[in-house]
Amino acid sequence: MAVVDFAHSPVSLGALQTLRPLVRPNPDGTPGRLIAVFGCAGLRDRAKRDLMGQVSGRLADFTVITAEDPRTEDLDEINRAIEAGVREHAGADAYCIVPDRAEAIRTAVRQAHPGDVVAAFGKGHERSMCFGTVEQPWSDQAAMIAALDAPARRRNSLQTRRADRQPISLVCSPKLVYDCAKFSKVLKLTGIILQSLIIPLTCQRTRT
């Protein structure tokens, strides 16, 4: 399952606790994981960077640290502050730093299995991200959907090369799909109103 959420503070990142029950065992019996993707804004509360890292290090199984409106601050410095918090509760194998946010989301999705929950926090419904003094177009929803679609596109490309040329359809279970057509839905999690997109990681290919 994949989630896009607006949580951008230590308190709201506690939504990870609410997502934990949605993690399921994988088909091979291995435990599912909760994978968090987030960053912290530049020129804003510096103290929360370490705190958010601590929350994710404690509540997520794996953390991908990335950009979130760095503005005129040094992105690497912001990410190092988050990293310090994560390291208070998690080892070096439980997180990574991927400065490019689109690549960070792809990294989280690539390592996810059917029982996992991948959650991107901090941007939610926003449609731009600030680098320097320039607001650049951005959508976490679009990035998440593109990351989820990438394996299917690769598989379909390989399939077209097969000699039988049988058409393939990609079928996603409607379970845990909320308002995908509009890309977002307001959910109540732990008493906090969160802008969220929830779509399944589990897709099944069937012949038509």
Side-chain angles (χ1 to χ4, degrees):
M1 187 174 75
V3 179
V4 167
D5 189 81
F6 189 52
H8 57 283
S9 71
V11 172
S12 57
L13 193 58
L16 284 163
Q17 281 185 302
T18 304
L19 294 175
R20 172 63 65 181
L22 301 178
V23 176
R24 296 287 184 263
N26 290 304
D28 62 2
T30 57
R33 296 189 304 164
L34 182 54
I35 302 171
V37 182
F38 73 97
C40 288
L43 305 182
R44 298 294 185 269
D45 185 3
R46 294 170 181 260
K48 77 175 185 179
R49 298 168 188 176
D50 178 88
L51 294 174
M52 290 184 69
Q54 290 185 46
V55 171
S56 190
R58 182 167 49 88
L59 299 179
D61 297 304
F62 194 86
T63 300
V64 184
I65 302 168
T66 191
E68 182 200 313
D69 298 303
R71 299 187 172 88
T72 56
E73 279 200 59
D74 183 81
L75 176 58
D76 291 336
E77 182 178 333
I78 295 172
N79 288 342
R80 283 194 296 269
I82 300 170
E83 178 187 22
V86 173
R87 289 298 296 268
E88 291 191 34
H89 297 276
D93 61 345
Y95 76 94
C96 65
I97 299 176
V98 184
D100 182 274
R101 194 172 178 95
E103 182 58 30
I105 291 173
R106 285 193 293 268
T107 297
V109 169
R110 276 198 297 264
Q111 65 175 274
H113 297 283
D116 296 348
V117 173
V118 174
F121 296 101
K123 295 302 294 177
H125 61 285
E126 295 180 343
R127 291 295 175 265
S128 67
M129 186 157 46
C130 188
F131 290 88
T133 58
V134 179
E135 291 284 345
Q136 300 182 8
W138 175 258
S139 167
D140 262 12
Q141 289 92 339
M144 184 68 80
I145 289 171
L148 290 167
D149 282 347
R153 287 197 300 268
R154 286 195 295 269
R155 289 194 298 268
N156 285 340
S157 177
L158 289 172
Q159 183 63 32
T160 58
R161 300 190 194 112
R162 289 174 59 94
D164 57 14
R165 303 290 181 176
Q166 297 184 44
I168 296 294
S169 63
L170 186 67
V171 179
C172 292
S173 166
K175 182 180 180 183
L176 299 175
V177 180
Y178 297 85
D179 205 16
C180 285
K182 296 182 180 178
F183 291 155
S184 66
K185 185 177 179 66
V186 178
L187 302 179
K188 287 187 177 180
L189 300 178
T190 60
I192 305 171
I193 302 296
L194 304 172
Q195 290 282 342
S196 300
L197 162 74
I198 300 184
I199 50 185
L201 283 170
T202 307
C203 290
Q204 176 182 349
R205 288 161 55 78
T206 60
R207 293 194 178 277
T208 55

